[in-house]
Amino acid sequence: MSSLAPRLAVYLVADPDLARVDLPLAVHQALDGGCTAVQLRAKHLTDRAMLTLARNIREMCRAYKTLFVVNDRLDIALACGADGVHLGVDDLPVADARRVGQQAGRPDLIIGYSPETDEQAAIAASEGVDYLGVGPVFGTASKPDAGEAIGLETLRRRAAKTTIPVIGIGGIETRNAASVIGAGAVGVAVVGAILRTDDPRNAARTLVETVSSAEAQRW
Amino acid sequence: MSSLAPRLAVYLVADPDLARVDLPLAVHQALDGGCTAVQLRAKHLTDRAMLTLARNIREMCRAYKTLFVVNDRLDIALACGADGVHLGVDDLPVADARRVGQQAGRPDLIIGYSPETDEQAAIAASEGVDYLGVGPVFGTASKPDAGEAIGLETLRRRAAKTTIPVIGIGGIETRNAASVIGAGAVGVAVVGAILRTDDPRNAARTLVETVSSAEAQRW
């Protein structure tokens, strides 16, 4: 198992469209609660505003020694010095992102990828992907275009078919997080379960404990 | 005057949303007609589709030794090996784009910038901008969010206040292109004047001749 895996345990997708309050405040609370990774997903900001927000979250994550990745945008990731970038099937191809990252002096750039089929999941390792986001595991209200839930069995199948760490995403909350780990994921990506609560710190803490217990039971 | 200036004489903004026919075909015809620069502007494609289109146009521009820049997206520009990137006030800041470009082994990357005020135009040179796009000079139907026309006098004032080459953009056609050069621009950026004609090759050729005559008259 990759040494990246423990850093993916509780992965907050920080989306300003879904934050109840100030996003950096909620991220700060989640970091304080022990969340292990943050992804900035900002589909409706200008690039300049996204970069400013990315730098802000980047600094907080650095202070907490927490992984920070930028969704979709390699240029923003490189400009703010993120640890990585997360790509989907409609984004820059992984090979191109890897090459530009290497050219930019970032051979260490972590590249996450969201496959949409078993085949895409299976070949991701050969493309140099560092981790996979697989979902939507359950129905989700946080991403209207996410498609139909794939369920735990599909998650289990995709996780079994690859050698790289998999996190589950989509409709994951405290009550179902253990089942995602049970299906072979090393972590859970959450949006609303942290952002749309009154207490992001406590929500993160509870998720960390839940994932940790579920991991322990798996071995 | 920069050696870049002659390459900016007739600058086609290639926007798939505005092409009457197949965009690569229209770009090819415009290149054949002598257009000196092409910018890919694609606000509504996926990143993956934009990269594919960028590579296609990049190859054509290379064959014609024509400048090729990508609008807004530094990552796409670097991934396809474009000559440059064109940024606006809401995009990645020029200094960040320059730094990432240098890190990526592209110190030669041409950075264009569209200022919105006289002050932004005046300080662009100190930020390392290679050329400015100033406009909308006239009213335009090609960019609904372009704002009110600034007119030839504002173009003249902004061009006079900077040492870097300026191209005019916005509502420029064969009939008014000479006035844009007369106001101090080294070139004209056009969209509809080439893309929305029945004969992009001839439209480009006529614009090249018009700009060339106007340049000759200025000296």
Side-chain angles (χ1 to χ4, degrees):
Chain A
M1 187 148 301
S2 153
S3 64
L4 179 62
R7 305 186 72 190
L8 298 169
V10 176
Y11 177 113
L12 169 63
V13 177
D15 186 332
D17 293 345
L18 296 164
R20 274 201 183 165
V21 290
D22 179 54
L23 184 68
L25 175 62
V27 169
H28 187 262
Q29 291 171 340
L31 288 168
D32 210 48
C35 100
T36 62
V38 178
Q39 176 198 108
L40 173 60
R41 180 174 83 185
K43 303 268 190 193
H44 302 110
L45 295 181
T46 66
D47 289 358
R48 193 161 293 201
M50 186 181 179
L51 178 61
T52 300
L53 186 54
R55 288 205 159 112
N56 189 339
I57 297 177
R58 154 79 294 187
E59 285 317 302
M60 288 193 282
C61 286
R62 210 166 257 170
Y64 281 87
K65 301 193 194 313
T66 298
L67 195 71
F68 175 57
V69 307
V70 173
N71 194 41
D72 297 348
R73 295 294 298 270
L74 177 62
D75 46 2
I76 307 274
L78 293 174
C80 77
D83 298 306
V85 66
H86 190 92
L87 301 169
V89 298
D90 286 333
D91 299 324
L92 270 189
V94 168
D96 290 289
R98 178 65 73 203
R99 183 173 44 78
V100 172
Q102 283 171 338
Q103 285 166 348
R106 293 294 310 276
D108 61 319
L109 193 77
I110 289 166
I111 301 183
Y113 175 63
S114 294
E116 291 186 353
T117 65
D118 285 12
E119 193 184 7
Q120 287 165 356
I123 64 173
S126 67
E127 292 176 328
V129 171
D130 294 296
Y131 73 91
L132 294 181
V134 171
V137 181
F138 307 111
T140 173
S142 301
K143 199 180 179 198
D145 67 341
E148 250 184 277
I150 60 166
L152 287 168
E153 281 319 302
T154 300
L155 170 64
R156 189 185 305 276
R157 198 172 61 237
R158 291 192 188 162
K161 279 190 180 167
T162 184
T163 55
I164 57 182
V166 166
I167 54 175
I169 186 167
I172 301 175
E173 300 169 44
T174 303
R175 62 175 175 81
N176 58 24
S179 67
V180 174
I181 302 303
V186 302
V188 293
V190 296
V191 195
I194 288 180
L195 290 186
R196 298 191 77 75
T197 61
D198 292 330
D199 190 344
R201 184 184 286 102
N202 191 53
R205 187 175 295 133
T206 306
L207 279 164
V208 168
E209 287 164 4
T210 304
V211 168
S212 175
S213 306
E215 284 275 5
Q217 280 180 18
R218 206 168 53 175
W219 304 109
Chain B
M1 190 148 299
S2 153
S3 63
L4 179 62
R7 306 186 72 190
L8 298 169
V10 176
Y11 178 113
L12 170 62
V13 177
D15 186 332
D17 292 345
L18 296 164
R20 274 200 185 168
V21 290
D22 179 55
L23 184 68
L25 175 63
V27 168
H28 187 262
Q29 292 171 338
L31 288 168
D32 210 48
C35 101
T36 61
V38 178
Q39 175 197 110
L40 173 61
R41 181 175 80 185
K43 304 268 189 191
H44 303 110
L45 294 182
T46 65
D47 289 359
R48 193 161 293 201
M50 187 180 179
L51 178 60
T52 300
L53 186 54
R55 288 202 159 114
N56 188 338
I57 298 177
R58 153 80 295 185
E59 285 317 302
M60 287 194 280
C61 286
R62 211 166 256 169
Y64 282 88
K65 301 191 193 314
T66 298
L67 195 71
F68 175 56
V69 307
V70 172
N71 194 40
D72 297 349
R73 294 294 298 270
L74 178 62
D75 45 3
I76 307 274
L78 292 174
C80 77
D83 298 307
V85 65
H86 190 93
L87 302 169
V89 297
D90 286 333
D91 299 323
L92 271 189
V94 168
D96 291 289
R98 178 65 73 202
R99 182 172 45 77
V100 173
Q102 283 171 340
Q103 285 166 347
R106 292 295 311 275
D108 61 320
L109 193 76
I110 289 165
I111 300 183
Y113 176 63
S114 293
E116 291 187 351
T117 64
D118 285 13
E119 192 183 8
Q120 286 165 356
I123 64 173
S126 68
E127 292 175 327
V129 172
D130 294 296
Y131 73 90
L132 293 181
V134 171
V137 181
F138 308 111
T140 173
S142 301
K143 198 179 179 198
D145 67 341
E148 251 184 276
I150 59 165
L152 287 169
E153 281 318 303
T154 299
L155 169 64
R156 189 185 304 276
R157 197 172 63 237
R158 292 193 187 161
K161 279 190 182 167
T162 184
T163 55
I164 58 182
V166 167
I167 56 175
I169 186 165
I172 301 175
E173 300 170 42
T174 304
R175 62 177 175 79
N176 58 25
S179 67
V180 173
I181 303 303
V186 302
V188 293
V190 296
V191 195
I194 288 180
L195 290 186
R196 297 191 78 73
T197 61
D198 292 329
D199 189 345
R201 184 183 285 103
N202 191 54
R205 187 175 295 132
T206 306
L207 278 164
V208 168
E209 288 165 3
T210 303
V211 168
S212 176
S213 306
E215 284 275 4
Q217 280 180 18
R218 203 167 55 174
W219 302 110

